[in-house]
Amino acid sequence: MGMKKIFLCILSLLLCSSVLASEYTDYFSEMYSKEYKKHVKVVSKDEHIEKYEQKVGDVFVSSIVYGVGYMKIKGHKKTRITYICLLKNNCEIFWGHIIPY
């Protein structure tokens, strides 16, 4: 029984990380496209997922995703970025932010 739980836990983490890898960049692309009222493309170059498993306000945050990449706003040069996302228990994005550098 214990081995089955470990296998299911590892499988769920792999599914969350592989399925959502493009969802983070899609989330940021959509969010910043609305803000700038221009097409914005966000690309991840290196990404990490860490378990967090604590409440932030009234929301249980299961994981933190952070990484580096670039953001391209139509008509502007590429900007290197660092980003962070907080994930709810069901791997849904709760909050995200981009920091240009």
Side-chain angles (χ1 to χ4, degrees), residues 86-100:
L86 303 181
L87 303 181
K88 293 181 185 178
N89 204 27
N90 58 359
C91 296
E92 181 183 334
I93 299 170
F94 165 62
W95 174 85
H97 187 68
I98 287 181
I99 304 164

Side-chain angles (χ1 to χ4, degrees), residues 66-85:
Y66 59 94
V68 295
Y70 69 86
M71 179 168 70
K72 174 74 172 105
I73 301 170
K74 187 176 180 176
H76 295 84
K77 290 183 178 183
K78 277 197 259 187
T79 303
R80 291 194 293 176
I81 61 166
T82 300
Y83 63 90
I84 185 168
C85 290

Side-chain angles (χ1 to χ4, degrees), residues 2 9 11 15 19 24 38 41 60 76 84 86 88 93 100:
C9 182
L11 181 63
L15 287 174
V19 170
Y24 308 127
K38 292 183 180 182
K41 180 179 181 182
F60 180 79
H76 295 84
I84 185 168
L86 303 181
K88 293 181 185 178
I93 299 170

Side-chain angles (χ1 to χ4, degrees), residues 18-77:
S18 63
V19 170
L20 292 177
S22 67
E23 285 191 35
Y24 308 127
T25 57
D26 290 346
Y27 169 80
F28 286 124
S29 294
E30 183 180 325
M31 183 172 77
Y32 283 95
S33 289
K34 287 179 184 177
E35 183 177 325
Y36 292 117
K37 295 181 176 72
K38 292 183 180 182
H39 178 70
V40 175
K41 180 179 181 182
V42 177
V43 176
S44 175
K45 293 292 186 183
D46 188 26
E47 188 170 87
H48 305 280
I49 299 176
E50 301 286 335
K51 277 192 161 195
Y52 185 66
E53 298 184 336
Q54 293 187 25
K55 283 188 118 182
V56 174
D58 293 334
V59 178
F60 180 79
V61 175
S62 65
S63 303
I64 298 174
V65 178
Y66 59 94
V68 295
Y70 69 86
M71 179 168 70
K72 174 74 172 105
I73 301 170
K74 187 176 180 176
H76 295 84
K77 290 183 178 183

